[in-house]
Amino acid sequence: MKKIGIMGGTFNPIHIGHLTLAERSMEEYGLDEIWLIPTGYSYMKNNSSILSGEERYTMTQLAVADNQKMKCLDIEIKRPGYTYSYETLEQLKERYPAYEFYFIFGSDCLFTVENWKYPERIFKNCKVIAAVRNGACMDEMQRKKLDLEQKFHAKIHLLSFPNLEISSTDLRQRIRMGKSVRYLIPDAVASYIEEKHFYKDEQEKIYENK
Ligand code: NAP
């Protein structure tokens, strides 16, 4: 049975924090591949301040073009309406019934996932890998993990992960201020951002709300 790591994200833009987490998860849990899935239309964010799905998909594709074990899917940016993870997982499970899916996310999501749409349908179709950044309280994470496992019959792995002080919000701000993003974003993605003049305008200030 193939083990596939699913990593969803706004990826506005994708950075080495996302990619390192994907790589570490693959190594730690013996995953065969990682599928990165840029989100479509979020009901939780100000979408007018986020680059289009196609642009974020292109950047994510560029980020993994040289890695045979990682690929980028456009299923969320193509799906009409708001993006919900339960739908993505059900779609993937239907298309690849023999695969085992691992949904990779930051441990912050452990505290919000219950409020996502149909969390029980998320946990039914995947195991979860939650990245616990160094410095976070492991006891608290363990309690939350057990709580979710009991409530939803979920299977959750806690992955200890270095706290890479890097976020898409900071990167957009650096670009707007003309600062370097070298070594923080893959070169191919950084060149694409420069060529397209993304995140440069004053308008980009509203990106700060993520
Ligand atoms: P994002 O900000 O683009 O980040 C993607 C993932 O990478 C997040 O889990 C994030 O964890 C992690 N990450 C970011 N920077 C990192 C770093 N430096 N080191 C390690 N990890 C890092 O993603 P998002 O917009 O929050 O969405 C995450 C997923 O949740 C998506 O698939 C989205 O569709 C899903 N979601 C679904 C629902 C729903 O179905 N109702 C609601 C909300 C989100 P942190 O968040 O901990 O930084």
Side-chain angles (χ1 to χ4, degrees):
M1 186 188 280
K2 255 193 171 181
K3 292 162 85 174
I4 308 292
I6 296 297
M7 194 163 165
T10 314
F11 301 140
N12 185 38
I14 188 154
H15 56 67
I16 56 145
H18 301 126
L19 294 163
T20 314
L21 172 56
E23 185 73 21
R24 183 66 64 84
S25 302
M26 188 153 61
E27 183 180 77
E28 199 73 26
Y29 299 101
L31 308 181
D32 296 290
E33 286 176 28
I34 299 283
W35 296 354
L36 296 159
I37 309 185
T39 52
Y41 199 76
S42 169
Y43 66 99
M44 295 174 94
K45 294 185 182 179
N46 174 3
N47 292 272
S48 64
S49 65
I50 296 175
L51 282 184
S52 74
E54 285 74 18
E55 298 291 18
R56 291 179 289 110
Y57 173 68
T58 302
M59 290 193 285
T60 309
Q61 270 189 315
L62 285 170
V64 296
D66 61 353
N67 187 337
Q68 290 192 337
K69 291 192 159 200
M70 291 197 197
K71 66 180 180 184
C72 177
L73 305 193
D74 60 3
I75 55 171
E76 289 193 350
I77 64 162
K78 288 258 172 77
R79 204 166 58 223
Y82 288 126
T83 296
Y84 296 111
S85 299
Y86 85 91
E87 278 190 291
T88 304
L89 285 155
E90 287 181 353
Q91 215 175 327
L92 290 174
K93 203 67 198 170
E94 195 183 313
R95 214 179 290 174
Y96 307 98
Y99 288 9
E100 190 172 29
F101 291 103
Y102 290 71
F103 195 177
I104 304 163
F105 53 52
S107 58
D108 291 0
C109 292
L110 282 183
F111 294 88
T112 58
V113 66
E114 271 178 285
N115 303 320
W116 298 4
K117 202 167 179 185
Y118 303 131
E120 65 285 359
R121 289 164 71 173
I122 295 177
F123 291 119
K124 181 171 176 253
N125 289 301
C126 67
K127 294 178 178 168
V128 164
I129 298 173
V132 181
R133 264 89 142 195
N134 292 352
C137 176
M138 199 39 118
D139 286 351
E140 194 187 348
M141 300 299 166
Q142 285 287 1
R143 276 196 296 276
K144 192 67 205 172
K145 164 185 148 78
L146 290 175
D147 172 45
L148 292 172
E149 285 183 335
Q150 275 164 11
K151 259 190 211 156
F152 297 102
H153 305 290
K155 181 78 193 131
I156 299 170
H157 301 281
L158 298 181
L159 171 67
S160 246
F161 192 71
N163 191 2
L164 302 174
E165 289 281 347
I166 167 168
S167 74
S168 298
T169 308
D170 291 342
L171 289 167
R172 292 192 300 270
Q173 207 168 13
R174 289 190 74 77
I175 294 167
R176 197 177 64 246
M177 292 166 77
K179 292 186 174 175
S180 168
V181 291
R182 200 168 186 192
Y183 307 125
L184 300 174
I185 295 179
D187 288 346
V189 180
S191 302
Y192 185 73
I193 291 173
E194 202 172 324
E195 182 193 315
K196 294 280 188 173
H197 304 286
F198 288 157
Y199 312 125
K200 286 274 192 214
D201 336 339
E202 279 301 288
Q203 177 70 1
E204 305 288 337
K205 279 185 181 156
I206 51 176
Y207 281 179
E208 273 153 37
N209 63 14
K210 223 186 172 196

